[in-house]
């Protein structure tokens, strides 16, 4: 009976150890599965990260390109504004010269009208005082 009792106790301990081993195997399988999931997730995360880095690189290149275009556009705009300023100054200068020329023409025109009226008055005065004689070409030549 003692050996049966020892046998039963040994079987009970073996059964308990088998249950513990089964339980540990289940835990180990769960851990391995979780580990594989984590590794797979990391792989997916790495793929996603690589995709995101590639997209980030593309966007950075595009942003640099846009910045370059904006800098060129700003530079051209500045050049055009400078040209416009220069042309406006030249145009103002030309208008001023034209205005000065028109004033000079008006002054000379007024002066010409004054001289013309004085000459006419002088000629009319001469004509009224005496008869003016103008020699013909032949007479003029014979006097010379």
């Amino acid at each position: 009976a003692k050996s049966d009792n020892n046998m039963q106790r040994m079987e009970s301990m073996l059964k308990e150890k088998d249950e513990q081993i089964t339980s540990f195997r289940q835990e180990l399988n769960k851990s391995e599965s979780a580990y594989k999931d984590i590794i797979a997730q990391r792989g997916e995360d790495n793929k996603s990260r690589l995709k995101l880095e590639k997209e980030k690189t593309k966007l950075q290149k595009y942003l640099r390109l846009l910045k370059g275009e904006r800098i060129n556009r700003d530079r051209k705009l500045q050049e055009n504004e400078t040209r416009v300023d220069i042309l406006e100054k030249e145009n103002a200068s030309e208008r001023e010269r034209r205005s000065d020329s028109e004033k000079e023409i008006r002054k000379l025109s007024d002066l010409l009208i004054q001289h013309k009226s004085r000459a006419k008055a002088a000629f009319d005065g001469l004509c009224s005082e005496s008869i003016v004689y103008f020699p013909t070409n032949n007479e003029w030549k014979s006097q010379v």
Side-chain angles (χ1 to χ4, degrees), residues 41-126:
Q41 184 61 41
R42 280 189 183 163
E44 289 297 315
D45 288 348
N46 279 343
K47 286 180 187 175
S48 296
R49 186 177 54 79
L50 289 174
K51 280 184 183 178
L52 288 174
E53 284 180 5
K54 284 181 183 178
E55 189 65 26
K56 179 183 170 186
T57 304
K58 284 181 189 175
L59 289 174
Q60 285 174 336
K61 286 179 184 176
Y62 185 66
L63 182 62
R64 281 194 298 271
L65 179 71
L66 288 177
K67 283 181 180 177
E69 287 178 0
R70 191 187 84 218
I71 289 169
N72 285 339
R73 189 189 70 232
D74 290 348
R75 183 179 46 78
K76 285 180 183 177
L77 181 64
Q78 185 65 35
E79 287 172 1
N80 287 341
E81 287 174 351
T82 303
R83 281 189 205 130
V84 166
D85 289 344
I86 290 169
L87 290 174
E88 284 177 348
K89 287 176 184 175
E90 287 176 358
N91 196 10
S93 174
E94 184 62 31
R95 276 196 305 264
E96 190 176 318
R97 272 187 253 127
R98 194 175 300 134
S99 175
D100 290 347
S101 295
E102 288 173 358
K103 286 177 186 175
E104 188 67 27
I105 289 171
R106 271 188 246 116
K107 207 184 331 177
L108 290 173
S109 178
D110 291 344
L111 196 58
L112 180 64
I113 291 170
Q114 286 175 5
H115 285 300
K116 191 176 177 183
S117 65
R118 283 185 193 157
K120 185 172 178 356
F123 183 73
D124 288 346
L126 276 176

Side-chain angles (χ1 to χ4, degrees), residues 20-39:
Q20 283 179 350
I21 287 172
T22 303
S23 174
F24 283 137
R25 279 192 182 144
Q26 287 174 348
E27 287 296 318
L28 181 63
N29 287 340
K30 285 181 186 176
S31 294
E32 283 179 352
S33 176
Y35 178 75
K36 287 178 183 176
D37 288 347
I38 289 171
I39 295 297

